[in-house]
Structure formats: structure tokens, C-alpha cells
Amino acid sequence: MSRGWRGAPAAVLILVGLWPSSAFAQTSRTVGVHLGMVRAEQLWDDPVRGTRSNGFTIGIGVDVPTPVPAFSGRAGVGYVQRGSGVWDRELDPDGVAKRNVRSHYLSVPLEAKVGRGIGPVSLYLVAGPVIDLLLDTQCSQDLCPLLEEERPMLLNATIGAGLAIPLQERLWADVEIRLTEGLTSGYSTAGTGLRYRSVEAVVRTRFPF
């Protein structure tokens, strides 16, 4: 696990510990639709390097309140596209022969959410596991043979923060950014597992049901 990701859970615990006691309480179930951009990279061992690539995500989800004020649960299902550029830094230091891989997943997040109201808006944190089911892999002809094994299911961890804005009495918009770290490998090559790491920025519209 990377150094940056190892520090993320501790940061969340600190933020939750400092979260003011007058936290915003979600009192009704909501259903929402999200659309966003995904900036992903595939993590290889040296000297092979993965570079960031853009993709997108779209899906639906439900937020369900809990008896504990400020805490709720969120579950959803959606499509997410993760990709990466790949090249060997020893054989090709300038990345001239960089190849691309793009993975298409059905994604199922299960997240805990804590929020606090600030005037008419609310700030929130989310964290939890995400299960990705592989739908398809697209890659360059000379790169595909190196991906010896496709894993049909991945386990990821995600952490994020967002701002919920009321648009009407029964309509909210969420603006959210999150980091998703692969805990299991999506592919293997030469005995080495290849994981994805991505930063995702999404906009979500929600209404009660």
C-alpha cells in the first residue's frame, strides 16, 4: 500500500474526531444520479510505469439515515471507466512507445457518510469499500498479451468529501471528490499484480423517496 494511502484513514479519523457536535442530521431517504470524471493510473513495479488517464463514471445511489445524528449510509451501482498509459522507463525513457489500457467496470460502493450543516448547505465525508466487476478490457495489441490474467472482481477502498446544496425544497445537488485505491489486483503480469488508483470528481442530484 502506498505511503499516501496509509495516511488517509488516520486523516479521516482526525477529521471525524474534530467534527462539530452540531452535525447535520439526514432525516429522509434520498435517491440520486451522479456523473463525473475519473483520473486513474495503473500501478506497476519499476521499471514499467503507469501514467494517468481520463475516464468517466455514471450511476445511481440511495442515502439512508441512521438513528445516530449526522451519520447515514450510502449504496449504489454504476459504470466506471479506469485507464492508464504504460511504458518501460529503461527501454523507452521518453515514453515514445507508450501503450494504453482501459478497463470498464460495474461498480458497487457501500459507504458510511457523516455530515454537518453550515447555513443552507452541508459538508460531508464518505468512506467505505467498493466492489468493481469487470465488464471489458481495451488495450493495445502489444500490451494485451502482457496482462496475463484479468480479475473479474476487485475490492477497492474509497474516501471522499463533498458539499450538498439545496436546489429546491425536495431537490439537492452534491459536488464531491474522492480517492479510490485498489486493494486487489485487476490484472497480473510476470507474477506481479496490477492495481488501479483513481481520483474521481462527481456531481450528484438527489431527491427524497
Side-chain angles (χ1 to χ4, degrees):
M1 187 176 292
S2 69
R3 292 181 181 178
W5 178 250
R6 283 201 298 265
V12 172
L13 292 176
I14 292 172
L15 287 172
V16 172
L18 295 176
W19 210 248
S21 59
S22 58
F24 172 76
Q26 181 171 322
T27 58
S28 62
R29 296 176 301 174
T30 61
V31 60
V33 179
H34 74 260
L35 177 66
M37 184 185 74
V38 178
R39 183 75 167 164
E41 64 177 322
Q42 208 172 58
L43 305 179
W44 290 62
D45 291 336
D46 286 337
V48 178
R49 181 176 181 179
T51 61
R52 295 180 180 90
S53 178
N54 291 332
F56 75 95
T57 180
I58 187 171
I60 61 173
V62 294
D63 285 53
V64 180
T66 71
V68 181
F71 283 87
S72 60
R74 189 170 76 184
V77 62
Y79 164 80
V80 62
Q81 184 184 86
R82 308 188 198 280
S84 184
V86 179
W87 88 93
D88 190 315
R89 288 188 293 178
E90 289 185 352
L91 300 178
D92 181 21
D94 296 325
V96 176
K98 182 172 67 176
R99 299 296 183 260
N100 297 298
V101 56
R102 192 172 296 277
S103 308
H104 307 267
Y105 292 103
L106 180 68
S107 188
V108 183
L110 301 170
E111 299 162 323
K113 180 179 177 182
V114 58
R116 184 192 187 284
I118 302 178
V121 304
S122 64
L123 300 175
Y124 63 87
L125 303 173
V126 292
V130 180
I131 298 172
D132 281 350
L133 304 176
L134 182 65
L135 301 174
D136 188 29
T137 300
Q138 296 175 314
C139 52
S140 307
Q141 291 184 351
D142 52 351
L143 177 60
C144 281
L146 298 178
L147 305 177
E148 298 170 355
E149 182 180 356
E150 294 180 336
R151 307 291 168 78
M153 184 175 74
L154 309 182
L155 177 63
N156 309 306
T158 190
I159 180 173
L163 176 68
I165 306 167
L167 300 179
Q168 297 177 3
E169 184 179 355
R170 293 173 57 85
L171 185 66
W172 292 269
D174 297 343
V175 180
E176 180 178 310
I177 186 167
R178 59 192 184 220
L179 169 70
T180 300
E181 180 87 359
L183 301 180
T184 57
S185 301
Y187 306 91
S188 66
T189 179
T192 300
L194 307 177
R195 301 180 295 112
Y196 273 117
R197 174 183 296 148
S198 62
V199 175
E200 302 155 18
V202 302
V203 176
R204 180 182 297 102
T205 302
R206 296 185 290 118
F207 55 90
F209 72 101

mmCIF file with all atom_site columns, all heavy atoms in Angstrom, residues 151 153-156 181-187 193-196:
data_model
loop_
_atom_site.group_PDB
_atom_site.id
_atom_site.type_symbol
_atom_site.label_atom_id
_atom_site.label_alt_id
_atom_site.label_comp_id
_atom_site.label_asym_id
_atom_site.label_entity_id
_atom_site.label_seq_id
_atom_site.pdbx_PDB_ins_code
_atom_site.Cartn_x
_atom_site.Cartn_y
_atom_site.Cartn_z
_atom_site.occupancy
_atom_site.B_iso_or_equiv
_atom_site.pdbx_formal_charge
_atom_site.auth_seq_id
_atom_site.auth_comp_id
_atom_site.auth_asym_id
_atom_site.auth_atom_id
_atom_site.pdbx_PDB_model_num
ATOM 1   N N   . ARG A 1 151 ? -8.864  -10.143 -13.637 1.00 0.00 ? 151 ARG A N   1
ATOM 2   C CA  . ARG A 1 151 ? -9.615  -10.498 -12.438 1.00 0.00 ? 151 ARG A CA  1
ATOM 3   C C   . ARG A 1 151 ? -11.050 -10.001 -12.608 1.00 0.00 ? 151 ARG A C   1
ATOM 4   O O   . ARG A 1 151 ? -11.278 -8.803  -12.803 1.00 0.00 ? 151 ARG A O   1
ATOM 5   C CB  . ARG A 1 151 ? -8.979  -9.869  -11.201 1.00 0.00 ? 151 ARG A CB  1
ATOM 6   C CG  . ARG A 1 151 ? -7.489  -10.189 -11.056 1.00 0.00 ? 151 ARG A CG  1
ATOM 7   C CD  . ARG A 1 151 ? -7.244  -11.647 -10.723 1.00 0.00 ? 151 ARG A CD  1
ATOM 8   N NE  . ARG A 1 151 ? -5.850  -12.019 -10.852 1.00 0.00 ? 151 ARG A NE  1
ATOM 9   C CZ  . ARG A 1 151 ? -4.888  -11.757 -9.984  1.00 0.00 ? 151 ARG A CZ  1
ATOM 10  N NH1 . ARG A 1 151 ? -5.177  -11.078 -8.888  1.00 0.00 ? 151 ARG A NH1 1
ATOM 11  N NH2 . ARG A 1 151 ? -3.652  -12.158 -10.188 1.00 0.00 ? 151 ARG A NH2 1
ATOM 12  N N   . MET A 1 153 ? -13.414 -9.628  -10.458 1.00 0.00 ? 153 MET A N   1
ATOM 13  C CA  . MET A 1 153 ? -13.945 -8.810  -9.366  1.00 0.00 ? 153 MET A CA  1
ATOM 14  C C   . MET A 1 153 ? -12.801 -8.198  -8.575  1.00 0.00 ? 153 MET A C   1
ATOM 15  O O   . MET A 1 153 ? -11.814 -8.873  -8.259  1.00 0.00 ? 153 MET A O   1
ATOM 16  C CB  . MET A 1 153 ? -14.828 -9.642  -8.436  1.00 0.00 ? 153 MET A CB  1
ATOM 17  C CG  . MET A 1 153 ? -15.489 -8.823  -7.332  1.00 0.00 ? 153 MET A CG  1
ATOM 18  S SD  . MET A 1 153 ? -16.640 -9.785  -6.311  1.00 0.00 ? 153 MET A SD  1
ATOM 19  C CE  . MET A 1 153 ? -15.460 -10.748 -5.344  1.00 0.00 ? 153 MET A CE  1
ATOM 20  N N   . LEU A 1 154 ? -12.926 -6.900  -8.259  1.00 0.00 ? 154 LEU A N   1
ATOM 21  C CA  . LEU A 1 154 ? -11.919 -6.174  -7.493  1.00 0.00 ? 154 LEU A CA  1
ATOM 22  C C   . LEU A 1 154 ? -12.528 -5.627  -6.220  1.00 0.00 ? 154 LEU A C   1
ATOM 23  O O   . LEU A 1 154 ? -13.721 -5.307  -6.162  1.00 0.00 ? 154 LEU A O   1
ATOM 24  C CB  . LEU A 1 154 ? -11.362 -4.990  -8.295  1.00 0.00 ? 154 LEU A CB  1
ATOM 25  C CG  . LEU A 1 154 ? -10.866 -5.223  -9.708  1.00 0.00 ? 154 LEU A CG  1
ATOM 26  C CD1 . LEU A 1 154 ? -10.313 -3.934  -10.272 1.00 0.00 ? 154 LEU A CD1 1
ATOM 27  C CD2 . LEU A 1 154 ? -9.822  -6.316  -9.732  1.00 0.00 ? 154 LEU A CD2 1
ATOM 28  N N   . LEU A 1 155 ? -11.684 -5.488  -5.205  1.00 0.00 ? 155 LEU A N   1
ATOM 29  C CA  . LEU A 1 155 ? -12.076 -4.813  -3.977  1.00 0.00 ? 155 LEU A CA  1
ATOM 30  C C   . LEU A 1 155 ? -11.264 -3.541  -3.855  1.00 0.00 ? 155 LEU A C   1
ATOM 31  O O   . LEU A 1 155 ? -10.032 -3.575  -3.919  1.00 0.00 ? 155 LEU A O   1
ATOM 32  C CB  . LEU A 1 155 ? -11.848 -5.714  -2.758  1.00 0.00 ? 155 LEU A CB  1
ATOM 33  C CG  . LEU A 1 155 ? -12.169 -5.073  -1.398  1.00 0.00 ? 155 LEU A CG  1
ATOM 34  C CD1 . LEU A 1 155 ? -13.653 -4.711  -1.313  1.00 0.00 ? 155 LEU A CD1 1
ATOM 35  C CD2 . LEU A 1 155 ? -11.767 -6.002  -0.254  1.00 0.00 ? 155 LEU A CD2 1
ATOM 36  N N   . ASN A 1 156 ? -11.950 -2.419  -3.680  1.00 0.00 ? 156 ASN A N   1
ATOM 37  C CA  . ASN A 1 156 ? -11.313 -1.119  -3.532  1.00 0.00 ? 156 ASN A CA  1
ATOM 38  C C   . ASN A 1 156 ? -11.743 -0.483  -2.215  1.00 0.00 ? 156 ASN A C   1
ATOM 39  O O   . ASN A 1 156 ? -12.723 -0.901  -1.585  1.00 0.00 ? 156 ASN A O   1
ATOM 40  C CB  . ASN A 1 156 ? -11.706 -0.177  -4.674  1.00 0.00 ? 156 ASN A CB  1
ATOM 41  C CG  . ASN A 1 156 ? -11.514 -0.786  -6.033  1.00 0.00 ? 156 ASN A CG  1
ATOM 42  O OD1 . ASN A 1 156 ? -10.440 -1.256  -6.361  1.00 0.00 ? 156 ASN A OD1 1
ATOM 43  N ND2 . ASN A 1 156 ? -12.572 -0.777  -6.843  1.00 0.00 ? 156 ASN A ND2 1
ATOM 44  N N   . GLU A 1 181 ? -8.693  3.581   -4.025  1.00 0.00 ? 181 GLU A N   1
ATOM 45  C CA  . GLU A 1 181 ? -7.452  2.802   -4.062  1.00 0.00 ? 181 GLU A CA  1
ATOM 46  C C   . GLU A 1 181 ? -7.781  1.326   -4.229  1.00 0.00 ? 181 GLU A C   1
ATOM 47  O O   . GLU A 1 181 ? -8.581  0.758   -3.475  1.00 0.00 ? 181 GLU A O   1
ATOM 48  C CB  . GLU A 1 181 ? -6.669  3.004   -2.771  1.00 0.00 ? 181 GLU A CB  1
ATOM 49  C CG  . GLU A 1 181 ? -5.377  2.248   -2.689  1.00 0.00 ? 181 GLU A CG  1
ATOM 50  C CD  . GLU A 1 181 ? -4.191  2.993   -3.295  1.00 0.00 ? 181 GLU A CD  1
ATOM 51  O OE1 . GLU A 1 181 ? -4.396  4.121   -3.798  1.00 0.00 ? 181 GLU A OE1 1
ATOM 52  O OE2 . GLU A 1 181 ? -3.071  2.461   -3.265  1.00 0.00 ? 181 GLU A OE2 1
ATOM 53  N N   . GLY A 1 182 ? -7.182  0.676   -5.238  1.00 0.00 ? 182 GLY A N   1
ATOM 54  C CA  . GLY A 1 182 ? -7.383  -0.741  -5.427  1.00 0.00 ? 182 GLY A CA  1
ATOM 55  C C   . GLY A 1 182 ? -6.701  -1.538  -4.328  1.00 0.00 ? 182 GLY A C   1
ATOM 56  O O   . GLY A 1 182 ? -5.510  -1.370  -4.077  1.00 0.00 ? 182 GLY A O   1
ATOM 57  N N   . LEU A 1 183 ? -7.451  -2.401  -3.669  1.00 0.00 ? 183 LEU A N   1
ATOM 58  C CA  . LEU A 1 183 ? -6.890  -3.280  -2.641  1.00 0.00 ? 183 LEU A CA  1
ATOM 59  C C   . LEU A 1 183 ? -6.508  -4.641  -3.208  1.00 0.00 ? 183 LEU A C   1
ATOM 60  O O   . LEU A 1 183 ? -5.676  -5.351  -2.637  1.00 0.00 ? 183 LEU A O   1
ATOM 61  C CB  . LEU A 1 183 ? -7.890  -3.461  -1.492  1.00 0.00 ? 183 LEU A CB  1
ATOM 62  C CG  . LEU A 1 183 ? -8.329  -2.180  -0.778  1.00 0.00 ? 183 LEU A CG  1
ATOM 63  C CD1 . LEU A 1 183 ? -9.308  -2.506  0.333   1.00 0.00 ? 183 LEU A CD1 1
ATOM 64  C CD2 . LEU A 1 183 ? -7.138  -1.419  -0.235  1.00 0.00 ? 183 LEU A CD2 1
ATOM 65  N N   . THR A 1 184 ? -7.134  -5.009  -4.328  1.00 0.00 ? 184 THR A N   1
ATOM 66  C CA  . THR A 1 184 ? -6.789  -6.247  -5.016  1.00 0.00 ? 184 THR A CA  1
ATOM 67  C C   . THR A 1 184 ? -6.427  -5.916  -6.463  1.00 0.00 ? 184 THR A C   1
ATOM 68  O O   . THR A 1 184 ? -6.822  -4.878  -6.992  1.00 0.00 ? 184 THR A O   1
ATOM 69  C CB  . THR A 1 184 ? -7.945  -7.261  -4.980  1.00 0.00 ? 184 THR A CB  1
ATOM 70  O OG1 . THR A 1 184 ? -9.126  -6.659  -5.553  1.00 0.00 ? 184 THR A OG1 1
ATOM 71  C CG2 . THR A 1 184 ? -8.258  -7.672  -3.546  1.00 0.00 ? 184 THR A CG2 1
ATOM 72  N N   . SER A 1 185 ? -5.705  -6.808  -7.096  1.00 0.00 ? 185 SER A N   1
ATOM 73  C CA  . SER A 1 185 ? -5.196  -6.564  -8.444  1.00 0.00 ? 185 SER A CA  1
ATOM 74  C C   . SER A 1 185 ? -6.267  -6.801  -9.496  1.00 0.00 ? 185 SER A C   1
ATOM 75  O O   . SER A 1 185 ? -7.057  -7.739  -9.404  1.00 0.00 ? 185 SER A O   1
ATOM 76  C CB  . SER A 1 185 ? -4.000  -7.479  -8.720  1.00 0.00 ? 185 SER A CB  1
ATOM 77  O OG  . SER A 1 185 ? -2.976  -7.242  -7.778  1.00 0.00 ? 185 SER A OG  1
ATOM 78  N N   . GLY A 1 186 ? -6.263  -5.919  -10.514 1.00 0.00 ? 186 GLY A N   1
ATOM 79  C CA  . GLY A 1 186 ? -7.174  -6.097  -11.638 1.00 0.00 ? 186 GLY A CA  1
ATOM 80  C C   . GLY A 1 186 ? -6.604  -7.013  -12.707 1.00 0.00 ? 186 GLY A C   1
ATOM 81  O O   . GLY A 1 186 ? -7.342  -7.667  -13.443 1.00 0.00 ? 186 GLY A O   1
ATOM 82  N N   . TYR A 1 187 ? -5.253  -7.047  -12.801 1.00 0.00 ? 187 TYR A N   1
ATOM 83  C CA  . TYR A 1 187 ? -4.558  -7.879  -13.786 1.00 0.00 ? 187 TYR A CA  1
ATOM 84  C C   . TYR A 1 187 ? -3.278  -8.385  -13.141 1.00 0.00 ? 187 TYR A C   1
ATOM 85  O O   . TYR A 1 187 ? -2.850  -7.903  -12.079 1.00 0.00 ? 187 TYR A O   1
ATOM 86  C CB  . TYR A 1 187 ? -4.214  -7.075  -15.047 1.00 0.00 ? 187 TYR A CB  1
ATOM 87  C CG  . TYR A 1 187 ? -5.388  -6.382  -15.685 1.00 0.00 ? 187 TYR A CG  1
ATOM 88  C CD1 . TYR A 1 187 ? -5.737  -5.080  -15.331 1.00 0.00 ? 187 TYR A CD1 1
ATOM 89  C CD2 . TYR A 1 187 ? -6.169  -7.036  -16.645 1.00 0.00 ? 187 TYR A CD2 1
ATOM 90  C CE1 . TYR A 1 187 ? -6.821  -4.444  -15.912 1.00 0.00 ? 187 TYR A CE1 1
ATOM 91  C CE2 . TYR A 1 187 ? -7.255  -6.400  -17.228 1.00 0.00 ? 187 TYR A CE2 1
ATOM 92  C CZ  . TYR A 1 187 ? -7.575  -5.109  -16.851 1.00 0.00 ? 187 TYR A CZ  1
ATOM 93  O OH  . TYR A 1 187 ? -8.659  -4.477  -17.427 1.00 0.00 ? 187 TYR A OH  1
ATOM 94  N N   . GLY A 1 193 ? 0.930   -8.295  -9.492  1.00 0.00 ? 193 GLY A N   1
ATOM 95  C CA  . GLY A 1 193 ? -0.423  -7.785  -9.618  1.00 0.00 ? 193 GLY A CA  1
ATOM 96  C C   . GLY A 1 193 ? -0.435  -6.313  -9.973  1.00 0.00 ? 193 GLY A C   1
ATOM 97  O O   . GLY A 1 193 ? 0.441   -5.547  -9.568  1.00 0.00 ? 193 GLY A O   1
ATOM 98  N N   . LEU A 1 194 ? -1.429  -5.910  -10.759 1.00 0.00 ? 194 LEU A N   1
ATOM 99  C CA  . LEU A 1 194 ? -1.567  -4.522  -11.207 1.00 0.00 ? 194 LEU A CA  1
ATOM 100 C C   . LEU A 1 194 ? -2.861  -3.951  -10.638 1.00 0.00 ? 194 LEU A C   1
ATOM 101 O O   . LEU A 1 194 ? -3.951  -4.453  -10.923 1.00 0.00 ? 194 LEU A O   1
ATOM 102 C CB  . LEU A 1 194 ? -1.578  -4.457  -12.731 1.00 0.00 ? 194 LEU A CB  1
ATOM 103 C CG  . LEU A 1 194 ? -0.403  -5.138  -13.441 1.00 0.00 ? 194 LEU A CG  1
ATOM 104 C CD1 . LEU A 1 194 ? -0.587  -5.065  -14.941 1.00 0.00 ? 194 LEU A CD1 1
ATOM 105 C CD2 . LEU A 1 194 ? 0.914   -4.505  -13.028 1.00 0.00 ? 194 LEU A CD2 1
ATOM 106 N N   . ARG A 1 195 ? -2.730  -2.884  -9.847  1.00 0.00 ? 195 ARG A N   1
ATOM 107 C CA  . ARG A 1 195 ? -3.881  -2.248  -9.217  1.00 0.00 ? 195 ARG A CA  1
ATOM 108 C C   . ARG A 1 195 ? -4.152  -0.889  -9.860  1.00 0.00 ? 195 ARG A C   1
ATOM 109 O O   . ARG A 1 195 ? -3.284  -0.303  -10.495 1.00 0.00 ? 195 ARG A O   1
ATOM 110 C CB  . ARG A 1 195 ? -3.633  -2.045  -7.712  1.00 0.00 ? 195 ARG A CB  1
ATOM 111 C CG  . ARG A 1 195 ? -3.363  -3.310  -6.945  1.00 0.00 ? 195 ARG A CG  1
ATOM 112 C CD  . ARG A 1 195 ? -3.120  -3.013  -5.466  1.00 0.00 ? 195 ARG A CD  1
ATOM 113 N NE  . ARG A 1 195 ? -1.911  -2.239  -5.237  1.00 0.00 ? 195 ARG A NE  1
ATOM 114 C CZ  . ARG A 1 195 ? -1.868  -0.977  -4.796  1.00 0.00 ? 195 ARG A CZ  1
ATOM 115 N NH1 . ARG A 1 195 ? -2.993  -0.312  -4.575  1.00 0.00 ? 195 ARG A NH1 1
ATOM 116 N NH2 . ARG A 1 195 ? -0.724  -0.358  -4.600  1.00 0.00 ? 195 ARG A NH2 1
ATOM 117 N N   . TYR A 1 196 ? -5.366  -0.401  -9.638  1.00 0.00 ? 196 TYR A N   1
ATOM 118 C CA  . TYR A 1 196 ? -5.720  0.946   -10.073 1.00 0.00 ? 196 TYR A CA  1
ATOM 119 C C   . TYR A 1 196 ? -5.798  1.883   -8.866  1.00 0.00 ? 196 TYR A C   1
ATOM 120 O O   . TYR A 1 196 ? -6.196  1.487   -7.766  1.00 0.00 ? 196 TYR A O   1
ATOM 121 C CB  . TYR A 1 196 ? -7.079  0.958   -10.777 1.00 0.00 ? 196 TYR A CB  1
ATOM 122 C CG  . TYR A 1 196 ? -7.030  0.659   -12.248 1.00 0.00 ? 196 TYR A CG  1
ATOM 123 C CD1 . TYR A 1 196 ? -7.652  -0.467  -12.764 1.00 0.00 ? 196 TYR A CD1 1
ATOM 124 C CD2 . TYR A 1 196 ? -6.384  1.513   -13.126 1.00 0.00 ? 196 TYR A CD2 1
ATOM 125 C CE1 . TYR A 1 196 ? -7.622  -0.740  -14.133 1.00 0.00 ? 196 TYR A CE1 1
ATOM 126 C CE2 . TYR A 1 196 ? -6.347  1.259   -14.487 1.00 0.00 ? 196 TYR A CE2 1
ATOM 127 C CZ  . TYR A 1 196 ? -6.972  0.121   -14.978 1.00 0.00 ? 196 TYR A CZ  1
ATOM 128 O OH  . TYR A 1 196 ? -6.937  -0.138  -16.330 1.00 0.00 ? 196 TYR A OH  1
#
